[in-house]
Amino acid sequence: MSYDAIVLAGGAARRLGGADKPALSVGGRALLDRVLDACPDARTTVVVGGRRPTARPVHWTREDPPGGGPVAALEAGLRQTTAELVLVLSADLPFLDRDTVRVLLAAPARPGTDAADAADGADGALLRDPDGRDQPLVAAYRAEPLRREIALLAAEHGTLTGLPLRALTAELDLARVTSRPLASFDCDTWDDLAAARARIREHGSVLEQWITAVKSELGIDLPVDTKTLLDLARDAAHGVARPAAPLTTFLVGYAAAHAAATGADPAQAVAEASRKAADLALRWADEAAADSAEQNGSG
């Protein structure tokens, strides 16, 4: 699905004491980079705000005047896009994921119609949070009605500066999407930031969050079968020696990368290398067990 993405990364962050909110980190990654990771296949990605380092290239722009509010910022970003479908996100969503983005992009269809008919359907779709509140900065909009309504607002008010987003979204026919509870969690305060940092370290999500962060840091996009790799590490640690676990998984990754360089599917290469290494670790353990049994028997 072809789309452009606009990320609003301006704002005064008053409840954060004027801190550079998009640059604040959760799980060792800037909030802005976490949002950019949710839409890697956007045809064009425009960030509205002050320039700062990012994990991947983006186009930069600013509303005029800077600090003119979300509608003015959205209009500035929209001027840099050409796709018929535009994903609009705020830059402070630490738990936004690619699945949520895909659902939003597929959703702009009128109730009772297929998402494939989105071009003839609603003006867009926005996320509705678990408390029932609409999130217009976690949304996908059709560009033509969005441009039309922004132009009408500018003509009516003489300016877009200071206008709230509800003045825009109230005039659009928008579908509502309910997704994962944390997808719309944003960091407006220091307490929000602390809660996000604590959340990613919870037992049920820490490995997923860590693997995602490492892949982003290393610039790779590969499905990781965490269970297979953990099972391999366990077999190597128990069947050989504890230090064998990290060394074995490193060698599996290296072997998989070598196989992928020759044309193999990366995910299959990891699975095959893991299988071979796990089989070796089990053979190693069986041999040690047999030797031990023989020594005990002879004694």
Side-chain angles (χ1 to χ4, degrees), residues 132-220:
R133 294 172 298 196
D134 290 344
Q135 301 295 324
L137 293 182
V138 193
Y141 299 96
R142 291 173 57 211
E144 187 278 326
L146 193 61
R147 287 192 172 94
R148 180 191 67 230
E149 293 303 329
I150 287 177
L152 289 173
L153 283 175
E156 179 182 352
H157 296 275
T159 181
L160 297 175
T161 299
L163 293 183
L165 275 172
R166 64 179 177 272
L168 174 62
T169 57
E171 302 302 323
L172 296 170
D173 180 12
L174 300 172
R176 269 66 180 176
V177 169
T178 301
S179 188
R180 297 182 180 182
L182 289 176
S184 61
F185 182 94
D186 55 7
C187 293
D188 287 331
T189 68
W190 292 113
D191 285 344
D192 292 338
L193 191 70
R197 288 171 172 172
R199 177 80 66 167
I200 67 166
R201 290 178 171 82
E202 291 180 352
H203 176 71
S205 61
V206 65
L207 284 181
E208 178 185 354
Q209 291 288 340
W210 171 247
I211 293 300
T212 299
V214 172
K215 289 194 295 182
S216 176
E217 194 74 12
L218 299 180
I220 59 177

Side-chain angles (χ1 to χ4, degrees), residues 27-283:
R29 300 166 63 206
L31 286 169
L32 176 56
D33 282 335
R34 296 180 74 91
V35 171
L36 293 175
D37 187 60
C39 53
D41 52 349
R43 192 174 66 184
T44 298
T45 300
V46 181
V47 179
V48 186
R51 286 178 177 268
R52 52 177 59 82
T54 52
R56 66 176 177 87
V58 299
H59 297 274
W60 295 94
T61 191
R62 291 300 302 264
E63 70 275 25
D64 186 18
V71 178
L74 178 54
E75 191 273 337
L78 199 58
R79 281 190 269 114
Q80 307 297 318
T81 66
T82 57
E84 294 182 4
L85 191 60
V86 179
L87 180 71
V88 176
L89 304 169
S90 62
D92 61 347
L93 302 165
F95 302 112
L96 182 68
D97 55 47
R98 299 180 186 185
D99 288 342
T100 298
V101 166
R102 281 190 284 267
V103 171
L104 284 170
L105 292 170
R110 293 186 186 281
T113 67
D114 190 271
D117 299 325
D120 299 320
D123 296 330
L126 50 75
L127 204 65
R128 175 165 282 173
D129 70 20
D131 295 325
R133 294 172 298 196
D134 290 344
Q135 301 295 324
L137 293 182
V138 193
Y141 299 96
R142 291 173 57 211
E144 187 278 326
L146 193 61
R147 287 192 172 94
R148 180 191 67 230
E149 293 303 329
I150 287 177
L152 289 173
L153 283 175
E156 179 182 352
H157 296 275
T159 181
L160 297 175
T161 299
L163 293 183
L165 275 172
R166 64 179 177 272
L168 174 62
T169 57
E171 302 302 323
L172 296 170
D173 180 12
L174 300 172
R176 269 66 180 176
V177 169
T178 301
S179 188
R180 297 182 180 182
L182 289 176
S184 61
F185 182 94
D186 55 7
C187 293
D188 287 331
T189 68
W190 292 113
D191 285 344
D192 292 338
L193 191 70
R197 288 171 172 172
R199 177 80 66 167
I200 67 166
R201 290 178 171 82
E202 291 180 352
H203 176 71
S205 61
V206 65
L207 284 181
E208 178 185 354
Q209 291 288 340
W210 171 247
I211 293 300
T212 299
V214 172
K215 289 194 295 182
S216 176
E217 194 74 12
L218 299 180
I220 59 177
D221 187 10
L222 173 70
V224 176
D225 188 339
T226 304
K227 182 180 183 303
T228 295
L229 290 177
L230 289 177
D231 287 346
L232 169 60
R234 179 202 61 207
D235 293 339
H238 292 172
V240 184
R242 285 190 178 276
L247 294 172
T248 303
T249 52
F250 166 78
L251 291 172
V252 162
Y254 186 88
H258 182 73
T262 64
D265 176 79
Q268 291 181 357
V270 170
E272 179 64 11
S274 297
R275 183 191 64 78
K276 289 181 177 179
D279 287 346
L280 176 61
L282 293 175
R283 294 199 304 270

